[in-house]
Structure formats: structure tokens, C-alpha cells
Amino acid sequence: MTSNLAGIEPPLPTGNRSFPLPPTRIASHDLQQTPRSWPRQTLNPPPNAPASSQDASEPAFKRQKTGHPVTNLIRKTGGTLRSVSDISSTTSNKGALLINSAHSLPEKEGAEKEQKPSLFPIRPGQFPQLGGCQQGRALAIERATARDVVPIKPYVPEPPSFAPRFHNAGPADFFPWTGRHAEDVLNKLTTEQGFYDRSPVSQNESHTARPSVWSSLKHKSGLQILSSLFVSALDQRQIHGTITTNSTFKPPPRVTLTDTKREAWLRDLANASIPLRRLSRTIPHGIRGKILLDHCLSKDIPTSRAIWLAKCVGANEIRAFKRKGTGGVFTVGGEAKWIKDWTANVEQFLESIIGLCGSADWRSKINYGLRLITHLYSEHLLDQDHYIDWLIASFRNSDLDALPMWLLVMQIHQLDVLQHRQRGRRLAEALLRHINKVSLPVNHEVYDTVFTQLVKLLKTLMLSAPACFILPACWSKYEDVIKSCLDEKEHHLQSSFDSLSKRNWRLRNRSLNQSSQATKSHRQTIIVYLDSLCDDQNYGKIAGACLRVTSDYDLVVRTCIEWSSSVYRHGRFRAYAAARLLRIWKRKGVDLQGPIFNFLAANSDLPGLQKRDVYRLLAELIRSQHLSVGKYLQWLIARGTLDGHHKPNSDGPCDVYLLFELPLQGLPSHVLNLRSMLLTTLGVPAERESDMIAAAKASILSEIPDFFLGDASSGSGAGYREFALSSQTVKSAVALWIRQNLFSRLKIYGKTYSASKDNKQPNSDKVASCLIALQQFHTIRRILEDFEDFAILADVLNMLSDEVQGPILTAVTDTVNQYFDVFNAIGAADDIFRRLYHRVEEPHGPEVIEKALLESLIDLACRLSNTAQEIQRLRSDMLAFMPRLSAVAFSPISDNMVDAMQSAEPTFADEMDQMLAGGTSMDKQTLTRLFGTIIGHLETSSEEPSQFGIRFSQLLAQLRRFGPETFDALLKDWLQKWLHSDLQVKPGVILSPMICFKVVSLKVVLDSTAHLLSLKGHRNDRATLALEMLDMMTTASSGPMLIVDYRGYRLLDQLRRLVRMSSASITALLCVVVETCKATEAPMRTRSWARARVEDLAVRKLIQTLVLQQPSAPREVASALPNTDLQKAFRGVLDLDQQDKSSHLDRRNRVSRLLNSTSYFNVPLVQLELRAILSDTGSWENAEDSLSDIFVERASASRDVGLWTYLVSELPVTQAASVREKAETEIICLGVTDKTSMRTGDKTRLDGLTAIIEAAGFSVSGAETSPLLDQITDGLAMICSSSQLDKYQHDHRDINSDHVCQSIDILISLLIIHQSTIQHPRFSQSALFQVLISLSRLLIHPILAFHPTLPSYVFDTLALLSDSLSDDTRTRCIGTLRDHHHSQDPRLRFIFGYLETVNNEWLQLVTTSSTMTEAKSEGVTMQPYSLRRWEMMQDATPVSTENDTSLSLTLFGARKSIL
């Protein structure tokens, strides 16, 4: 029986092997015979001279490194620590430079030390022999070198360039004369016949052999005889030429040597001129572990020789375990333990050389150490798994100073790290952690080079192994950091980043955070952008952001119209803001006409749609000619919608009733005629609108008869307010009539004023005051406010700002402040401010009014952008004219303070005003006395804000500038005492003027009130305090007072900001009011007052605004109130007009009615009322089950799934869990079936159920078990074993793969939602094993090959769930995949972390029979053959034999070499 080694050639290198296998030894007879080389002359160095040609004075680690590129780079760089980054930049391209250099270094060193330039022999007799004069000659050379004299090189004959050469040898037939060569000897034979290398072979045969052989070959069996002859010759050659002796390989023995001999042996090992066979006779004992590596580093032993020494020591150590007599498991375990210890020593050695940074010659030492360790790793002389895991952990835990070196090491081994998901994920997390740390402003400048290298490695990993960045747990933390590292011009990286963002978002753990995990639809995102206009009115930015959300511009325009006309959004600016956005989109090429007509034609029963706001928005677009009336009329006629609409109703369809809301100014005659014809068709006479316009004008003339020129007619006595509910056609015509009359009046009186001003007449102020009176201005403003035509009001203010004087100019400024959001949305706020600012330098009549104008202008400037210089100038003017206000100056104030404080009530305010205006300084005691005096007068003021209360607030504002800190402390103490006392005056009477004059802020007042309310038992009427504060806020929300020097808009502005930013104090007030409704110990009057306030429309509107702008408010209130109080307090908040219609319904019908009124704009309100309905479950059994049934039924049948997911995501955890469990039961029964197809309705229902489950994913508890996971496991197993998948492999035509793919997608989505349960430490590994095996089989099945997204979804799910595998379960998965022949897929190898071939499985030992007959009958047997890495070394013994190899040559059938 003979043995052959089959399959000895390893497979082609793939991604799982970064380094080639060690070279195998070959038989000596396969080597090509080397031609005889010519004699060389060698100069023997003196005994004490170094063997190398380099200077002996240099340290050992500085020699024999000239060829390494990284070493050359290090030598060229400076000696600072930062230069380490140069090493990493050199090796940043996947570590290829250092690896290639490490591979090529042994060959380079051998070539440099063994293939030195040869010297030709010297001419005999010309130079003395080297025997006795060796020392003298060396001394002469040394002296010549000392004198810097270059010795003359003797002439040496060189072979011609065209001479033929032997392979790996010298030139052929070139022997310079030495006198001792055979060719140099002249005799008769060489003279006559010439010189031959070989003696001529004698020719004994004189005739051909054909006659003797032909007789044996000419018959039939001749060819067979010839064949047998050749076979016999080959057999003899096989018998005598094959190596049959056993392997004589033994590692070099170790002996105990003295320290001197051991050092000498190590120096000989570092000397490349001493062959290894000479050193292999004995190896010093005691050199092992880290000591061995330290010796190699200190003595600069060449890398190949250091590896040889490590192998010799390792082979002896491993054989020592086998010689102990124990076998089997103990021997294998001992060998594995020794390898782990050796790996730990290598790791310690690497840490020690990295710690050398900054010391002498640290670059050379680090370069040598990294090269040596790289060779040890590439030749599999380490426990690679332990070593790679240790590298990743060290890289993660490294500080920023040592990070460049660890980054360099990771770049060397990054290919091996990225082969496994588990390691690649850890590397990606560590890399992102370091980038996040370095990118901090504190560290960015210092570690700029390190940051560059980290970003370079990040980009490399994102392109080569993007699956390592499947990190849903921490992606949201590092997403912005990664995005900041990428360049917008690198499109491939941007594409990879976008793909990773989608994949990580799809795998996010929805149970972590309810608010952050909810997926927003396009409509929700657009609504969020539109709501941000309340705080940041940057219309260009918002318009661009909305268009970037989606390419469905119809959805964008529709959402904008609904937002501007929804009852659940507050603010008069919305219509003008929406009109401005639509105009911007029109300029960008968005078609407005189609989406607007589609909106009008859609269902008009949208929840909370205010149709009058829709008509106002469209009227603004028609005014600016962004919507064509003619095309609207044509569209209306073409649709035929006028049939059957004989009685137009404002609550009817918007597309028809818009006909009555069109502004007619500027329309051509044919359009007006067509509209009149359509109105006649509907039975509406054209004279009706004319009569209403005339009646409105007459009513306004009755209010201000002296204002309109040329129209002396009087009205019928009807008030103009009844026309505020008229159509936009009537209101637009009347508003334009007011504007035209004002323009005509200003034009006439303006000429008279200009003439009197130019002539310097003394009555110019009187002429200016005749333009318009203050009462007339207030009336016009009220009319336009009631008409809500702020565009005309902006034109009126713009005209008046250039012409009027005194208090009217202040009133104009106050009007702009009051409706700043509206005018800013129109675009007129900045223009009006500029006009008013240029009027400041002109004289303005009464001094107090001038001060009020400056205060109001400063408030307006602070709300605009780019007005810093104007604010500074206005404040300077404010300080400049203040001393001029008083006729008498008191300085210091305390001189005549007693007289002023004892004045009567009517003169107290004036004298105090003069004293504060003229004073320049005030001590703390005086300020305290004045504060007490003014506060005392303020507390005794009337019940309503009067002129005296306003003057006292002004005095407090003036007093505050003398000591703001002292004044604030006094005010805070007074506020606490006053609120704690029995209030004689309503808080709104005293506090409202103080807030308006910036004496105190509304937030301070409400916070102090909330603090007092939280103190139990501080006073008996705490409910009265809460109710009075609530009255103050509701009164402020209705509008400011119309007093000229009363800055009422400040209170309203602070209330709006407080509701948007901080609602805790308002929530505390509401809680006290609701508790008072049922408090039996409270007086009957207080309880009645509380019930009335709770049911008041203004309070409900405040609650609605609070809930819509602060979604956390309902949770805060619900946590602070009992269930019954909550139900009473918030019933009817959703629908303010129909709060009593649903009170008689039962709970289930109320929930159904509530869900029918749900929209994207009122989800927080629906949540609030739903919580109130479900708060008392005593009379409703199984409330949560009933709620889940309603939710699942409505959501699965709805076309707008995004709305229901938004609503479910805002439910409490218990209710959301009930809805989710119901939906999961439905989807398992509907989606995971054996059906081959599915109806369209079922697909829609599946999509709705899936969206609900994902939205309610935050309710997953994360327990260690879940019954649903068993159903998911069974479902995946059923799909894998279904007949459809088997048929699909043979015939694709008859199988509907859509249903199968949808079922797989549903089950994977459920797995992702319940990942918190799977990741539980006590979750069953057996169940996880079954899930992963099923997903692995589906991943490689051809049914998913052509699906666009499902293969990546399955792969990402496998990668995520595999992170929770234990080592035993992972090994079990690998074994199962190998048994089913699924282990060759590279995706599975990456996920489960195994190589294509484990250890040496590619190497098999084949045993065949001795004869061909037996071989055919018995067959071939194969058994694994493992290579002994530690014994694969060169020159193991001093004497070389024919089979002196660690891998026996008999396995190869090798032949003997013939020399």
C-alpha cells in the first residue's frame, strides 16, 4: 500500500485568509543544478571586526533595515510623538504597505546578506597572499581610512554584457587566467584539439541497432513488448529513485549554556553570514516567551532568523508535553494552553514596544516589533482569535495619546477583523467612539492628525464592510458625527451613509423611547415645519424644507392649506403665512392650481376644517394673481358641480361656495359677467352683494361721519360688526374702499401740511392732526381687525407712518407690535419699522407720548432681525431726552423725597415722576422706601386697570433702573407676601400693568403662584388665587387694553411664549381649579366659580392651545388628577362648539365618535379626551380590549395609515400594548398561511396592521419569554419547509413569490419589534437557534434573489440577532449549516464568524490500494492531515539528509535528487 497526499494545493485565497500559507519544502532532485561559479576573492575581516559591512559602532537595531519603506519614512521624520501619524498615513491603505514590506523583508535581508558583489581573483604574484599578512593589511586599510585616503581599486576583468549566463549563476565560459585552471595548462592535447569541459565519450557502437531490434518488433506483439519495456524501466526508476526513508526531522535540541555563551550564540544568530545549520546544533535553554522577543529586539536579529528561533523553541515546548507520557485530551489541552500563554507574551511585548514612544530610537524598535509580530501572525504561530480580540479591546480602551499606534496595528489586521460580523461590529463601535471623542472642540485641534487618520479608516470600512455599521442601538448617537466626517462631493460615501441610515432605522429598538422611536409620515414632518413658524418666521428656509420632504407637491400644498384653516391651530397669521409659502413655491415652479382644485373637490367634511379660513387664504392668492379666477370658473363649469346646488350654504362644498367668496377687484369684465351668470344659475341675484356692500359702507359712515370726503350719506343705524361675518367679496370691497378714502384724505391734507411746513407756519401741527384723529384711527383699525383683512391694515399703517404725528404714531407702532406675527407673515413689519425709525428724529408733540413711541419702537426692533444698530440708537435717544421731562431737577433724590411722598393722590404720581426723572443716584434705603410707597398706592387703586395704576407701574419701571438687583429682590418678597395675603384687589388689576411695563415677568408671577399652591395649608382660599390667575390669563388672551401708553401687547406676547415654552405653572393652576370642582370643604361660591371656569370656552381654548403646543401637558395633568376630575376637566376640549352633544352617549360610542374626528392636527387632543373617557372603567368592562378592537378595525380599513400610527404612538403603554397584541394576533392569522395568493383587501389590511404594530412597539415589555416568538418561529419553519419553496427552485413560473415574501417580511418585522425579548440574557438559546437557521435558509434561497429590499432585511436581521448568540449556540449553527451544505455562502460566513475551511480541512491524506484491481474494488479513503506549523522550519539539523523535512516527503512520492 502506498500513500499519496491529495489536494495538497490550498484553494485560492479568499477574504478569509489575509496571509499566504508557508512555503512547502521540495525534493532536492527537483532543484535545478547550479552551474559552477567562478572563483571569488573574499577579504577576511579582522577578528574583532563586525561581520557586516556596516560600522560596528552602530547599535544592532540600526543595521540591515535600509530596504523597509516605513523605516525609511521614520528616519526622515522628526522625533516628536506626532510623527507616529506619519506611520499610520503610510500604512492607511488597508495596511498593505507594512504587510507587503513584512512579507518581502526576509527575502530582502537574505539577498542583501548572501548575494554580495563578487570579486574576481587577483593576479598571481602581483599581490601578497592573505595568510600571514592579514593583520598587517587590515591595519594598513584602517590607517588609510583614518587618513581619508580612498584606496585605488585594482583592475578586475568583467564579463562582457553579451556573454551567455547560467540561470541564477555567473556567465558561461568566462574564466580569467589564474594559472591554476585546467584551461591555463598547455600541453599537446589542448594545443592540438583545444580544451573541453568534459572528456569526450568513446563511441563503441559502429552500426545501427535496427537489425537486432526490428526482429523483435515486426510481429504483432512488438508494440506490447516495447510498452512493457518502457514500463519496466519506469518501475525500476520508481523503485530506485523514490525517497522511501522516514522523515529524520527533529527540532534543534536545547542545552543549558552560560550567559556568555548564550549571548555569543545570539550574536551569531544576528549575524547573517553564519549559516543556520551551524547554529542548529544546539539552542540555548531558557530563552522563551517575552524574553525571546526582547532578545530579538535588543540584538536586532533578522526577522526570518527570529521566526526560526521562535519555531525551534515552540516545537521543543510542544514536544515536551508529548514526552510527559499522558496522551489524548491532556496533550491537546496543554498545547493549546502553551499557545495561549505564548500569545499573551506576544501581546505584552506589543504593549511594551508601544510604550517606548518618545524614548531613544523608538521608531526603529516599534518598526522591528510590528514587523516581527506580523510575521508571527501570518505564519499562524499565535492564537489568532485571542490576538484579534485583544487588539480590538486595546484599540477601544486606548487613550488619545497612544491611539495612533493602535490605529496603525488595526490597519495592519483590518482585513482579518472585517471577516467576522462580531469583530467588525466591535471595531466600528470603537472607531466611532474615538471619532466622537476626538471631534470635541477641546481635542480637535490637538489631535487633528489623529482625527484625519480615523476618518480615513472610517471611510475605508464604510466602503469595504458596510455591514459592520449595522448598529441600531448606537446609530442615532453617532449618525451626526459620521455625517460630519463625509464630504458632499464623495457621492459613493454619501450613498453608503444613506443606505446605512435606512437599514439602522429599520432595525431600531422601538421599546427604548416612545417619543424618539415613532416614525413620522410626510404629512407630520410638513406640519412640524409649519408649526415652527410660530417661533422662527424664516419663510424661505421653511419653504425649502417642506419641498425636500417629499416630491408629492400635491400633498405639500394640501397640508399647507389644511394647516392654515384648521381649528386646532391658532394665530391669525396662518392664512398670510400659508399664502406667502404658496407664492414662494409658485416661484420655484410648483403648480398651485391643480392641488388647490383637488383640495376643493375633495371631501369637505375634514375634522376641524374652518372653511372661512380657506376662503381667506384663496382670496389672498387671487389678490396677488397667483390663482386665476377665470380658470376656477371654467373648472367649476367643466365638473358640473353646480347641478343641484340651488340654495348655497356656507357649510356646503368648498368648490361651489368659493364662488361667493371671490374678491372682485381687478377682475376683467368677462370674468365678472361669467360669475354673475353662475350666481343667477344658483338663484342668487347679482344685486345682493352690491346691497350688502352699500349697507356696510353706510354703517361705517355712521361711526366716523367726518372721515370720508365727498360722501355725506349717513347709515341706517346698523352696526358694522354684523358685516364681519359676510363673504370675502363684501369685506374685501369695503376694506379697499376704506383704504382708497384714507389715501385720498392723506393726499389732500398732505399738500396743506407740506405747504405750511415749508412756509414755517406755526399751525403745521394742527394741519397734521387734521389728517386723522386718534378715535378715527381706532375705529378704522377695529373695522379691519373684525374683517381680518390685515393686508389692507398693513397698507393703512404704512401710509400713516409717514404722515401722522404724536399719539397716532405711537398707536401705529403698538398696532404693529400687537399683530407682529401677521405683519411679518405679510412682509410689512420691517418696512413699517424703517419708516417709523426715520421719524424718530422729528419733533412729536407731548413728551410722554414721545417716550411711549420710543419704548414701543424698541420692542418692535427687538423682534426683528438685523436691527442691532437701530436698537442701540433708540436706547441712546431714550436716555438722552429723559432729563428733559422734568422742569425741576432733584439730585440727589432723597433731598425733597419727604415732600413728594406726602403729596395728595392726584399730584403724587406727577411729583414722583419728576423726582425720578431728574435724579441721578439712589441708595438702597431710599429705593426701599420709595418702592414701599409706590406699591402702597398701587394696592389701593381701583378694581380695573386705570390711568393711575398705569402711572404707578411706570414709576416702578423708572425706579428699577436705579438698582435692578435690589428692586427685583424687593419685588419678589412683596409678590410672595401679597399673594399669600387676602387679596383685596384682583391680581389682574395690579399685575397686568406691571407685566406690560416690564416691572415683572409673567413667568415669575405664575411660578410664584405655583409655588404657593404647592404648599399645603398655606391659606384657605388657594382655589381663589388659582381662579383669579386663570382669569388674568384668559383676559389677556382676548386682547390688550386700548389705552395709548399701555403696552398691552407685552402681556399677550409673554403669555404666548409661556404656553409654547414652559407650561408647568399653567398646568398647576388647572390642577387646582379642577380639584376645586369636587372639593366639599370649599365654599359653594368657589366651587361654582371653578365649575364655570372649567366649562368656559376661553379656558378650554387655553387648554387646547396648551395641549397642542406642549404634548407633555396632558400627561402632567393626568398624573396629578384623579380619574373623575380628569374626565370632567377635559371633556369637550377636542370640539369646543359641540362639547355637550356626546355626553349622552355610552363609552364605546364616544370612543368611536372621537376616533372619527381624528386628524393630524388634533392627535394630542384626541389622546387627552381618550384618556379622560377611559379613566373611569368601572362601568365599562374590558375597556382595553374594546379599545383595541376599535383601533384595529378602524386602522386596518383606513387608507391613511400614517394618521393611525401617529395616534397609536401617543397612547399610554398599557393601552398601546393591548392594541399591539390584538394586531399581532390578526396579522399572524392573516399573513402566515399556506395560500398561494392574497386579495387586494387583505394586503391593505396587512399594511395597516403592520404599521400599527410598529407604532406600538414601545409597549414591548422586554420579558425573557413571549408566546408570540414561538408563533414566529413556527411560521418561519413552515415557510422554509413549504412545497412552494421547493417548487420555486425548479419552476419559477407557477409560483407567486409575492405572498411568500410578504409573509417573510411580516415575521421579520415582528422579530425586530420583539428584539428586546430576544436580547434578554435568559432568553432561550434553542429558540434563537431555530430562528437563525430558518432565516439563514431563507437568505440563500433563490426566491429572494430578485426582491429589491427583502434580502438585505433578512441579512440585517440575522446580523442583529447573531449578536445575542452564545458560543455554544454559534458553534451549533455552524455545524448545522455545514451539514446542510449551506456554509459556503459568504454572507453566512460573515455573520456566524467561521472560515471557508476550518484549520487544515483543505488538506486530506488519500490512501489507495497497492494494485489497480484492488483500488477499483476497495476505492479511495481520505482522512484529514493537520500541518505542524511550529515544525515547518528551514535548516533544522546540522547535517542535511534526503528526508530532513517536518512534512515527510514520502507523502508526496518525492524522488531522490541526482547531482
Side-chain angles (χ1 to χ4, degrees), residues 29 235-243 1453-1457:
H29 74 277
D235 288 341
Q236 292 297 321
R237 179 184 177 185
Q238 182 70 21
I239 294 172
H240 297 285
T242 305
I243 297 178
R1455 298 177 181 178
K1456 299 178 181 180
S1457 60

Side-chain angles (χ1 to χ4, degrees), residues 1356-1407:
D1356 295 342
T1357 306
L1358 266 173
L1360 177 63
L1361 298 182
S1362 65
D1363 296 337
S1364 303
L1365 279 175
S1366 62
D1367 295 338
D1368 296 338
T1369 309
R1370 188 182 301 273
T1371 305
R1372 184 183 174 190
C1373 290
I1374 296 172
T1376 304
L1377 293 176
R1378 288 181 181 275
D1379 295 340
H1380 291 82
H1381 306 286
H1382 300 325
S1383 60
Q1384 299 301 320
D1385 192 277
R1387 294 170 296 180
L1388 297 181
R1389 292 202 304 267
F1390 171 79
I1391 291 174
F1392 292 102
Y1394 62 90
L1395 300 177
E1396 185 177 0
T1397 56
V1398 179
N1399 296 331
N1400 298 316
E1401 285 187 359
W1402 61 273
L1403 191 60
Q1404 299 287 332
L1405 186 63
V1406 180
T1407 305

Side-chain angles (χ1 to χ4, degrees), residues 998-1011:
K998 297 182 180 181
V999 177
V1000 66
S1001 65
L1002 180 62
K1003 186 176 186 305
V1004 172
V1005 173
L1006 294 181
D1007 289 345
S1008 300
T1009 305
H1011 176 69

Side-chain angles (χ1 to χ4, degrees), residues 37 123 146 161 339 418 466 477 651 777 814 895 911 1055 1089 1186 1199 1201 1210 1322:
S37 60
R123 212 160 186 68
S161 59
I339 293 177
L418 299 180
K477 178 181 178 181
D651 295 332
F777 171 77
D814 289 343
D895 293 345
E911 295 182 1
L1055 179 60
W1089 186 12
S1186 302
R1199 294 183 179 179
V1201 181
E1210 296 295 331
R1322 296 183 180 179

